[in-house]
Amino acid sequence: MQADLILQSTAIFTSTGDETLAGAVAVTGGKIVYVGPVEGAGALKGPDTRVLDLGGSMLAPGFHDSHLHFFLSAIYDSPCVVFCEGRSEQDCVDALGPLAAVRPKEEWLVCHGWYHPLWADPREPSKQSLDAVYPDRPVAMTSGDLHTLWLNSKGLERLGLTSDSVPPEGGRYGKDENGQLTGLLYEAASDEALPKVFAFSEAETCSAYRAFVKKLNAQGITSVCDMSTMAGSGPDLVREDIYLRLQQAGQLTVRVHMFPTLLDDLSRPQWMRRTFTGETLRFCGVKQFSDGVSSTHTAYLKEPYSNAYFPGDRGCTVTPPETLRRLVLKAAQQGFPVRIHTIGDEAIHQALDYFEEARAKYGPLPAGQNCLEHLENFQPADIARLRELDVLAACQPPHMVLDPEGVERDLGPQRARYMWPFCTYERLGIKYAFGTDSPVVGIDSMNVLYDAVTRQSPVDGSPKGGWQPHEKITAAQALRAYTRGSAMAAGRLSELGTIEPGKLADLVVLDKNLLAIDPQEILSARVVMTLLGGEIVYQAD
């Protein structure tokens, strides 16, 4: 047998252990056929074999973002939307100016990224500031965590919302002391509105997807899990139609694993399971929401928030517990892997109860992997239950350094000790995977790894020594979570996630051996090359 490609490196990280090895990886027909000493690869070298000597550059499995929202990530990264985190409400209003100058006046002005807890005046915004500048065109401002939508009066009118409107289950319309709409839509109410706001043309959407695919490849990312954005019925922004168009044009150079919304009506997941079974585009399970986020006190807790908005403030559920239980059992009966958004400790506890009941009633999944998403705050005894119930923790390291002071303000120092417990996962043998939740944070691969290893902000290195430093992990452990762990989350460990014979040749080459450098140097590491099925899909200049 002649290899199509042989890659040689003194730093091959297979993601099966803690060390790198010197040797070669041979690829034939898009799959790895050999991993071992350079001499052994010689037998596979033929006249048409391409040999790449990478020297001391690190060769690793392609990175796999286990949780992102592809449509929103692509659109937010496109010319159709402006980004602004801002230091004030007015900053975000002002940021719309350049976009307003080029978008047709009948179309929505869309901004993403605001996060009021970090503003100088951390009060929530309202429609008044937008109305003052844009009284005659609809404006939509999505929060950085994607759980709140800020609209002007024209936007409310375009959506047909009034003070008498009834929000969807699990959602809320913000109202002032006079019962008038403030312009803020929370949780399921925001989710329901988003597809109507993002009414971009097919050409704009396809262009945004193509650009985002290239951006993923430039970060060494060869696989993603595209997660539903909503709990209720309606468009969940998992756009299989756009993926098919890109695939047919030969432009889908990342493997996409789709997780649409879990509803009582399972006809779409059933159709997708039959239809999308390929190596590049695949249906892998369903997604639901248990709760919201801590920053708006919508994450669901066992005990009240430390800075409670009112007596007994424990947050809330997005999907009623009995509804979520029923849906999990229904999915288990059909053999569908389920992934549930759970941030608060009581949301995690309840979701584990549902998985436990489903496992007792229907047995282990025939294929795939049940996962909990985010898992920011635990009741301590529930951590070990992840292993007992074979539930994977899908985590996003950049989230923990967005606002560490806010975490302790919301939950207090004792509960904060059980936030993002990566080292504990390792010690207890719990499956876990890394991703970004893009566009909540960007897809920068080195940020994901740096944050997990140092537990410090990539912006300024704070806090010194790392936040909750007892939960730091090694670079090897972080790489495994971002490759092997994410392949498990997608239910594809037999095909992806490690450098082993028989696996698809999805690989990334880095200019530095991350296992041999100081953790602070991780941020300066650079992706040199990305390969999908042995084909180069990105190469640095």
Side-chain angles (χ1 to χ4, degrees):
M1 177 178 60
Q2 176 181 303
D4 300 324
L5 174 68
I6 295 176
L7 301 107
Q8 299 173 185
S9 170
T10 61
I12 300 172
F13 183 74
T14 65
S15 213
T16 61
D18 291 324
E19 307 293 336
T20 57
L21 59 89
V25 175
V27 178
T28 298
K31 292 188 176 182
I32 298 167
V33 295
Y34 174 85
V35 182
V38 171
E39 299 76 25
L44 300 173
K45 184 179 177 182
D48 299 321
T49 301
R50 185 180 183 188
V51 179
L52 297 178
D53 188 345
L54 305 174
S57 295
M58 185 180 217
L59 179 64
F63 299 139
H64 186 152
D65 195 311
S66 68
H67 184 123
L68 58 67
H69 306 288
F70 208 107
F71 176 90
L72 294 177
S73 298
I75 286 295
Y76 286 162
D77 208 42
S78 77
C80 300
V81 176
V82 66
F83 173 83
C84 182
E85 185 176 78
R87 292 295 300 163
S88 69
E89 180 174 354
Q90 193 59 44
D91 280 353
C92 296
V93 177
D94 294 343
L96 286 166
L99 187 66
V102 297
R103 295 296 289 180
K105 290 190 175 181
E106 69 276 7
E107 295 184 4
W108 287 88
L109 289 179
V110 183
C111 176
H112 168 66
W114 65 273
Y115 187 65
H116 69 280
L118 296 183
W119 289 349
D121 180 359
R123 288 181 294 180
E124 290 185 316
S126 74
K127 63 184 180 183
Q128 276 77 17
S129 57
L130 293 171
D131 289 348
V133 183
Y134 301 104
D136 300 320
R137 59 191 304 182
V139 179
M141 315 280 277
T142 58
S143 63
D145 58 22
L146 298 181
H147 285 257
T148 308
L149 187 61
W150 166 25
L151 303 167
N152 67 344
S153 293
K154 195 68 175 179
L156 292 168
E157 178 186 323
R158 178 72 65 89
L159 294 173
L161 298 178
T162 70
S163 57
D164 295 324
S165 297
V166 179
E169 188 174 58
R172 179 167 65 88
Y173 300 139
K175 293 186 178 182
D176 62 21
E177 62 275 9
N178 298 315
Q180 298 302 305
L181 295 177
T182 64
L184 295 180
L185 278 59
Y186 301 91
E187 301 300 340
S190 172
D191 296 340
E192 183 180 66
L194 282 180
K196 302 170 187 175
V197 169
F198 294 119
F200 300 109
S201 71
E202 188 91 345
E204 287 175 323
T205 304
C206 285
S207 176
Y209 269 56
R210 282 192 293 269
F212 190 62
V213 166
K214 291 179 180 179
K215 186 174 180 179
L216 289 165
N217 290 159
Q219 288 295 324
I221 297 169
T222 55
S223 285
V224 299
C225 294
D226 185 9
M227 312 298 288
S228 163
T229 59
M230 65 189 302
S233 59
D236 58 16
L237 302 183
V238 176
R239 295 290 302 273
E240 67 272 14
D241 57 327
I242 303 296
Y243 291 134
L244 284 170
R245 287 191 61 172
L246 266 61
Q247 186 178 49
Q248 290 162 2
Q251 298 168 335
L252 190 61
T253 55
V254 64
R255 302 194 197 279
V256 178
H257 307 95
M258 298 181 288
F259 292 84
T261 304
L262 168 60
L263 301 168
D264 275 311
D265 180 1
L266 292 174
S267 57
R268 184 175 182 224
Q270 288 166 343
W271 169 76
M272 293 180 78
R273 179 162 61 180
R274 293 190 304 269
T275 305
F276 299 104
T277 60
E279 289 184 345
T280 304
L281 185 56
R282 188 174 295 189
F283 166 82
C284 291
V286 287
K287 159 89 181 296
Q288 250 305 339
F289 288 77
S290 173
D291 64 345
V293 291
S294 298
S295 60
T296 56
H297 287 205
T298 53
Y300 190 43
L301 305 180
K302 181 181 180 181
E303 301 294 337
Y305 283 88
S306 296
N307 57 342
Y309 294 163
F310 52 83
D313 178 15
R314 298 169 51 207
C316 58
T317 56
V318 171
T319 306
E322 188 52 40
T323 300
L324 185 57
R325 172 184 170 273
R326 184 185 71 249
L327 291 173
V328 169
L329 291 173
K330 192 169 186 177
Q333 187 178 22
Q334 295 287 320
F336 287 124
V338 178
R339 300 179 68 165
I340 307 175
H341 171 114
T342 51
I343 286 184
D345 63 350
E346 188 62 15
I348 293 169
H349 182 79
Q350 290 183 353
L352 288 172
D353 285 349
Y354 308 149
F355 282 141
E356 184 172 21
E357 183 179 355
R359 188 179 179 88
K361 190 169 184 178
Y362 299 111
L365 284 173
Q369 176 71 57
N370 286 330
C371 304
L372 293 183
E373 311 299 307
H374 313 308
L375 308 99
E376 293 186 6
N377 172 229
F378 276 98
Q379 296 172 30
D382 281 337
I383 300 176
R385 292 180 71 200
L386 291 169
R387 180 179 178 182
E388 293 166 8
L389 299 174
D390 190 30
V391 175
L392 183 144
C395 317
Q396 300 75 41
H399 286 192
M400 67 184 164
V401 293
L402 287 175
D403 185 18
E405 292 182 1
V407 168
E408 299 198 12
R409 184 173 59 247
D410 289 331
L411 300 174
Q414 183 58 35
R415 283 184 290 189
R417 288 185 58 81
Y418 301 102
M419 303 284 286
W420 295 286
F422 303 149
C423 185
T424 299
Y425 292 161
E426 287 284 341
R427 179 171 51 83
L428 296 180
I430 290 166
K431 297 177 182 178
Y432 67 110
F434 283 165
T436 59
D437 201 16
S438 173
V440 173
V441 298
I443 56 167
D444 191 303
S445 296
M446 294 306 108
N447 282 3
V448 171
L449 298 169
Y450 174 84
D451 292 342
V453 173
T454 68
R455 299 177 77 92
Q456 293 173 281
S457 167
V459 176
D460 58 12
S462 64
K464 186 177 181 180
W467 187 74
Q468 304 297 338
H470 60 284
E471 292 291 356
K472 288 181 181 180
I473 55 175
T474 67
Q477 290 167 339
L479 279 165
R480 278 202 301 273
Y482 201 26
T483 54
R484 187 178 185 275
S486 297
M488 285 192 284
R492 295 193 68 182
L493 184 57
S494 64
E495 302 168 88
L496 303 172
T498 61
I499 299 179
E500 296 179 279
K503 296 287 184 80
L504 292 165
D506 296 355
L507 305 164
V508 61
V509 180
L510 305 175
D511 67 345
K512 296 180 180 180
N513 179 353
L514 301 189
L515 275 59
I517 60 176
D518 185 281
Q520 295 299 326
E521 295 181 58
I522 292 174
L523 288 176
S524 64
R526 191 168 66 104
V527 174
V528 175
M529 184 184 299
T530 307
L531 301 95
L532 186 80
E535 298 293 330
I536 297 172
V537 295
Y538 170 79
Q539 190 161 7
D541 297 331

